Amino acid sequence: MRPRPPVQGRGIFSGTGLIITGLAATLAALVFPIWSYADRSGTGVDVLNAQTVSTQYGPLSALDRDFVTKVRLAGLWELPAGQQAQTKGTTEAVRTAGRHLVAGHAFLDERVRTVASRLGLALPNEPNDQQRGWLSELDAAQGRQYDWKFANILRLAHGRVFSVVAQVRASTRNSLVRELADDANTTVLDHIRILEATGYVDFDALARDMAAGSTPPITRSPGPPGPTADPGSVVPLAPSPAPTYTLPPAAASPPPGN
């Protein structure tokens, strides 16, 4: 009896077999990352755990520490910018925005120094290079050009901080940082509104700048310094907290000329 010839189209290399093999490989690729997630290094959770320290107020992450530093840095240049706007601004709306910046950052600086002291975090006493550059740009501007630069530089800076505040408020496990984020959210939103009420903000340019300067994700860098027994002295900002000022009516956008 002669052996039967092999039947075409059967086995793993047939059309049906290839489909089944492909589906099995796809399923394995989907299941493997979930099964092995706890063992993998370099994930967001892995980085978060590596850069988080314990405090009596809850875990303190690298993002938390960076946020506390950013609140202090914001006051170091935005409060002087607000003081300057009260004398160099050519409209009442710009001068009022300056008063809001002074009052808001005097309040936030008092809060951030208290939080940093309780957490043992060192704070800067000088603005960074970029902030000093912004202050120099404002120093050099005059007239309506000053009004325009003041409104747009400060509005861009507040918009970037606002996104950081939201991220910290949504994710922090530290009660002191959570309360500071609440205060920062209220203050920064007030400043955004009062700067826009000057009528000078260029929203098209603002959108482009915000898109170009999107905050990169947290990496495996060491992150900001953690708590220390001696965080050093922190120089208070000069003005004391002042009452909130009423928002002026929105003005028509003037040209950015001299």
Side-chain angles (χ1 to χ4, degrees), residues 93-131:
V94 171
R95 292 190 289 270
T96 299
R99 290 196 292 271
H100 274 250
L101 261 65
V102 171
H105 284 292
F107 165 72
L108 274 186
D109 189 69
E110 184 177 290
R111 291 284 292 111
V112 75
R113 286 185 287 107
T114 299
V115 168
S117 175
R118 291 179 180 176
L119 293 173
L121 298 177
L123 291 177
N125 284 316
E126 297 290 339
N128 60 32
D129 291 341
Q130 183 183 50
Q131 293 165 341

Side-chain angles (χ1 to χ4, degrees), residues 64-119:
D64 294 337
R65 301 194 298 275
D66 187 51
F67 167 68
V68 172
T69 300
K70 277 183 166 63
V71 172
R72 169 68 174 176
L73 281 171
L76 289 173
W77 82 278
E78 290 175 15
L79 191 149
Q83 291 174 317
Q84 183 187 68
Q86 293 177 63
T87 58
K88 289 185 70 172
T90 68
T91 69
E92 182 58 29
V94 171
R95 292 190 289 270
T96 299
R99 290 196 292 271
H100 274 250
L101 261 65
V102 171
H105 284 292
F107 165 72
L108 274 186
D109 189 69
E110 184 177 290
R111 291 284 292 111
V112 75
R113 286 185 287 107
T114 299
V115 168
S117 175
R118 291 179 180 176
L119 293 173

Side-chain angles (χ1 to χ4, degrees), residues 189-209:
L189 181 57
D190 171 70
H191 291 176
I192 285 175
R193 293 177 61 206
I194 201 73
L195 289 163
E196 291 173 354
T198 64
Y200 283 98
V201 173
D202 183 340
F203 289 98
D204 290 335
L206 179 67
R208 289 192 298 270
D209 287 337

Side-chain angles (χ1 to χ4, degrees), residues 210-254:
M210 289 294 293
S214 297
T215 305
I218 297 177
T219 63
R220 292 174 64 87
S221 61
T228 175
D230 182 16
S233 60
V234 183
V235 179
L237 298 181
S240 14
T244 302
Y245 291 86
T246 304
L247 288 169
S253 299

